[in-house]
Amino acid sequence: MRAFWKQFWEDQSGMGVVEVILIIVVLIGLVIIFKTQITEVVNDIFEKIVSQSSSI
């Protein structure tokens, strides 16, 4: 049983999952911080698409 726990703690295969979770948390934080700026940019892009699609 002791060998199992020692191997469990030394195993680093789960580190990739932790890193991915940290990256996702940082990205969500950035989206929350810059929510208004992102919304403005997306709205401007959609307005341009709509206005230019009517000329086609």
Side-chain angles (χ1 to χ4, degrees):
M1 186 69 160
R2 176 176 269 171
F4 169 76
W5 286 109
K6 183 176 182 181
Q7 182 183 4
F8 178 77
W9 285 111
E10 291 176 355
D11 186 19
Q12 295 186 6
S13 62
M15 296 304 279
V17 174
V18 173
E19 292 168 355
V20 169
I21 290 172
L22 288 174
I23 291 171
I24 291 171
V25 168
V26 169
L27 288 175
I28 290 172
L30 289 172
V31 167
I32 291 171
I33 291 171
F34 296 108
K35 180 181 171 183
T36 56
Q37 290 89 347
I38 293 171
T39 304
E40 291 175 6
V41 169
V42 171
N43 284 337
D44 288 342
I45 291 172
F46 280 127
E47 286 175 8
K48 288 181 184 179
I49 291 172
V50 169
S51 68
Q52 291 180 1
S53 66
S54 63
S55 65
I56 293 179

